[in-house]
Amino acid sequence: MFARGASVAARGLSDHEQMNPIPWGAVYAGGVQLGAYALERTGAAERERLLRGCSTNVDNLAAGRWETLLSSALVVEEPMPLPYALLLVAVLGYAEYAYGAWWAAAVFLFGHAAATLLVYGALRGRADPQTRRAVDVGTSYGFNAVLGALTSALPRGAIRTAARVGLVALAAAPVVRRGRTFTDAGHLAALGVGIGVSLAFDCLSGAKHRKIT
């Protein structure tokens, strides 16, 4: 009887749950964090060289170093604060749960790359030398893209709309203030990309994913 009950319970799990036993979002965040601690142990000159080599700054992209669109998402300048690291794991984890690991990774990388290229396009012709070679690495563009895309998992109507408006307002606030940086603009762009993905999902009839209730 116990075996039969276990079999029924197993069949009750969705195929998606059975196929994704590894929390890849947590693995990614943990790997980035461990890498940051390892970088702290290297010499200042070597650390600077590694970070600039992975950076999607204007000089690297203008030189055709397109591989930095990936490498820049794998390193951070310093260890992530615990609250942000936990939020990153939570957002990526729910994206995996709702849509699958491949979807979460695709949105993360697409949002990261798209926001980076938008910022690059804006800075290419007018950035000063310091900005052109600035270190530009981290997880925040991808995080904002996935966060924006996850609004499609909210109930339709006022709740979903309010969430999108609220997130855009939060991301836009640093952009309109004095002292803004190109990273602030990148966060807004990445969030916009993610919300664009969520709007596309809204238009797909019969899209199956778990809703936040």
Side-chain angles (χ1 to χ4, degrees), residues 111 115-116 118-119 140-141 144 175 181-192:
T116 297
L118 287 170
V119 171
S140 58
Y141 287 4
N144 276 278
V175 177
T181 66
F182 66 83
T183 302
D184 295 327
H187 292 159
L188 180 59
L191 182 66

Side-chain angles (χ1 to χ4, degrees), residues 11 17 40 50 95 109 131 166 168:
R11 286 197 300 270
E17 286 175 302
E40 284 192 327
L50 288 170
L109 291 174
T131 301
V168 169

